[in-house]
Amino acid sequence: MFKGNVLVIGASGGIGKTLIKQLHESGKYAQVYAVSRTLPDSKMDGVEYHTVDSENENSIAQYCQELKQNGGQFSLVVCCIGALHASGADNQKIMPEKRLEDINQDQLSFYFTTNVILPALWLKHVEALLKGAEPAKLVFFSARVGSISDNQLGGWYGYRSSKAALNMLIKSAQIECQRRAKNICLISYHPGTVDTELSKPFQSNVPKRKLFTTDFTVTQLLKIIPNLTAENGPHYVDWQGSVIPW
């Protein structure tokens, strides 16, 4: 049975850490690589940790080139980069907009940089790691609110729009891969509302049974992706494996 390498991008977050743990413990991969802006406080034996500034494309390119030179096709890359809220310049709070009047340039720039541009840079450079004779999966953490046709509530302009743009990026990349890297299957994954820092300010309105642990949503993802193929890609699915309309 083929054992490819696996890379988790954005490995320092709650979901990223759990992904690394489950991937490593599964024994299905030749080597697990974890990359983030900072190294974790505690490292897992057998996992290769590296720091890369995702806002520096040269750093991304150099790191991916090093992985390529190490040899071995990657069978899975998961990009966990994304943000829903943050503290911006001058400690300005960045939160989803409720009204048109809340839209501002700095906030939109933050959402599109974090949720679209940085994943796009990684997509550009990891393709060479995944391309090969064996099937490979490239997963991006998206969100149901990125669905244009499923939008019934409005609001959250920057976050919704940036996730919709990420989905379009994934769709376009799958078309290109079907011409030049037919083994690569792209997946846009909605993990549900997960108990991490990303969802903290919004958890009070979420029913307990709908607030998932990182273990649950990662387990669901790893159950779902083996059944998804490049021929039918790209795939926009939720934690149940249900298809989300683009």
Side-chain angles (χ1 to χ4, degrees):
M1 180 181 175
F2 172 70
K3 276 192 173 185
N5 297 321
V6 58
L7 170 64
V8 177
I9 304 162
S12 60
I15 291 177
K17 290 176 182 176
T18 302
L19 256 172
I20 292 160
K21 181 175 184 293
Q22 289 200 22
L23 290 167
H24 179 61
E25 291 178 349
S26 73
K28 295 179 180 179
Y29 300 94
Q31 180 62 58
V32 177
Y33 294 89
V35 62
S36 55
R37 286 177 297 179
T38 57
L39 292 174
D41 295 332
S42 58
K43 298 179 183 179
M44 183 172 294
D45 289 341
V47 175
E48 290 275 350
Y49 292 88
H50 299 271
T51 57
V52 174
D53 179 6
S54 291
E55 295 190 25
N56 184 328
E57 184 178 356
N58 288 335
S59 295
I60 294 173
Q62 182 179 348
Y63 177 65
C64 290
Q65 184 63 32
E66 290 171 1
L67 293 180
K68 182 72 174 175
Q69 290 171 351
N70 287 343
Q73 183 194 327
F74 279 69
S75 55
L76 176 63
V77 173
V78 184
C79 181
C80 303
I81 294 174
L84 176 57
H85 62 91
S87 293
D90 301 323
N91 291 321
Q92 177 190 6
K93 288 252 183 203
I94 292 176
M95 294 289 284
E97 311 91 339
K98 295 181 179 179
R99 309 173 303 159
L100 284 168
E101 289 82 359
D102 296 333
I103 293 175
N104 70 74
Q105 184 175 347
D106 289 341
Q107 182 152 310
L108 286 176
S109 178
F110 168 80
Y111 278 127
F112 276 82
T113 295
T114 308
N115 295 334
V116 188
I117 295 173
L118 303 188
L121 295 178
W122 278 103
L123 168 59
K124 174 182 176 180
H125 292 285
V126 299
E127 186 216 11
L129 302 177
L130 292 160
K131 187 176 181 178
E134 299 292 336
K137 308 291 169 64
L138 175 52
V139 181
F140 291 89
F141 274 74
S142 185
R144 189 183 300 277
V145 297
S147 168
I148 293 175
S149 56
D150 190 54
N151 182 1
Q152 306 298 323
L153 297 175
W156 287 33
Y157 291 94
Y159 187 70
R160 281 186 185 275
S161 300
S162 62
K163 289 299 187 180
L166 174 65
N167 288 344
M168 181 60 80
L169 183 83
I170 292 166
K171 272 204 115 178
S172 296
Q174 183 72 81
I175 292 169
E176 186 165 0
C177 284
Q178 284 167 346
R179 292 196 297 264
R180 70 187 209 181
K182 294 181 182 293
N183 68 304
I184 300 176
C185 173
L186 280 90
I187 300 160
S188 178
Y189 179 62
H190 168 60
T193 304
V194 185
D195 188 10
T196 62
E197 288 301 315
L198 182 142
S199 69
K200 283 285 188 217
F202 313 97
Q203 290 181 5
S204 59
N205 296 323
V206 180
K208 284 189 177 180
R209 60 188 176 83
K210 289 290 188 180
L211 182 61
F212 303 141
T213 64
T214 56
D215 269 312
F216 175 78
T217 197
V218 167
T219 297
Q220 292 300 107
L221 172 64
L222 297 183
K223 281 181 181 177
I224 292 164
I225 58 177
N227 301 317
L228 305 178
T229 65
E231 292 81 6
N232 297 320
H235 303 272
Y236 185 17
V237 296
D238 67 10
W239 53 273
Q240 300 175 96
S242 299
V243 174
I244 302 173
W246 297 94

